[in-house]
Structures are given as C-alpha cells and as structure tokens.
Amino acid sequence: MSDPIVILTEEPLGADDRVNIQRLVDGSDTPLVLLVPANTERHLLVDFLENLSLLDVAKAFRDLTAHAPDPGAERAEAAETLAVSLAALDGLGGGVSGEVVDGGAVNGLVTKVKELGASQAVVITRPHAVADTFHTDWANKAQDQLGLPVLHLYAGSGFIGDS
C-alpha cells in the first residue's frame, strides 16, 4: 500500500475535483485522508479586498458588517462539506476517510501529514486573490512548515494554484 495523500479542502468537492484526485492517484491503492477545517480563520480585511477584486461589492460590504459566525454552525457546515466531499471521492485509491479539524486548517494538515508519514499533501480552495498573490494561502503556509511540495488546486476546476 502507498503512502496516504492528505487533502485539505474548504469547499465541498464535486465531480471536477474527483477527476483531479483520480489523476493524482492514477489507479494506485493510495489511501486518501480528507480534512475540512471547522473554522477557516479568514481575515476580515483580506476577505473584503478579495470580494472587491472579484467585483462583488455587495458581498464585500455584507461580510464586512456581518457578526462573528457561530462555532456550532461552522462545525455543522464543515461536517456537511466533509460528507459531500467523501461521497464525491468514494471508491478512489485505497479508500477515503476524513475528519473535521479544529485549531486551524494549516495546523491540522501539517499535523495529519506528520502523523501518517504522508509524502503528499493537497490543498483545494476557491481562488483567493490576495492570499494567492502574496503567497499567504494555505498551500504555501503548509509547504513552508512541511518542507515538501503541496499541490494547490482550485475547487471545481483543473487549475493549479501557485504554491
């Protein structure tokens, strides 16, 4: 059996993501371990600028004036994302398992990669203009901490982020 691939996602995975992961596994019996953060720890100003850069002015101001999210609601949303994503990847590699992680997305990924002795890590996010531009995205942070390449895929597409 191959070393596991640890996958961190903030988005529910779908058919396009399955194709990308299937290409990565390439018919092997590699186990897949999926992580979904309970709290994405987004930065208010960065999110505001990102929404403006995408010309979504209404969302930018809505998010700016929104109250802090309820931790219970965030965890329930993460559990739903995990369930949808596990179903999307079902049958790939040597099996798919997953969990909702607390304590920060990147920390959860780094901890799981080290715990399992994984030789590959994948981060799947929607594009984040500011974080991607300044290399402060999850993939870059994880790569810096792990010392191994971290593949950064954009959810629902075949595009690869710059990590």
Side-chain angles (χ1 to χ4, degrees):
M1 187 178 269
S2 304
D3 287 343
I5 297 175
V6 181
I7 303 168
L8 173 67
T9 185
E10 66 179 351
E11 295 286 313
L13 302 182
D16 291 333
D17 303 304
R18 179 185 174 85
V19 169
N20 292 333
I21 299 301
Q22 189 170 14
R23 287 181 183 145
L24 183 63
V25 173
D26 194 30
S28 72
D29 64 348
T30 303
L32 303 173
V33 179
L34 187 61
L35 305 176
V36 178
N39 177 346
T40 58
E41 299 178 337
R42 302 297 304 162
H43 188 276
L44 185 63
L45 180 59
V46 171
D47 285 349
F48 178 75
L49 293 173
E50 185 171 297
N51 287 324
L52 286 180
S53 74
L54 296 172
L55 303 176
D56 197 346
V57 176
K59 183 170 178 13
F61 284 100
R62 232 183 358 260
D63 288 352
L64 190 60
T65 59
H67 298 290
D70 173 48
E74 283 183 323
R75 192 156 205 17
E77 186 177 331
E80 177 63 23
T81 296
L82 178 62
V84 168
S85 299
L86 287 172
L89 299 180
D90 188 44
L92 289 182
V96 184
S97 62
E99 64 186 80
V100 173
V101 295
D102 294 305
V106 173
N107 289 339
L109 176 65
V110 169
T111 300
K112 188 56 78 172
V113 165
K114 289 180 179 178
E115 174 187 316
L116 298 175
S119 58
Q120 290 187 8
V122 178
V123 172
I124 302 174
T125 65
R126 62 188 173 276
H128 294 289
V130 175
D132 292 347
T133 300
F134 293 104
H135 303 285
T136 59
D137 56 273
W138 289 351
N140 275 288
K141 288 180 179 181
Q143 188 167 292
D144 289 345
Q145 291 181 37
L146 289 169
L148 61 95
V150 176
L151 179 61
H152 185 187
L153 299 173
Y154 291 134
S157 76
F159 293 110
I160 299 174
D162 179 28
S163 58

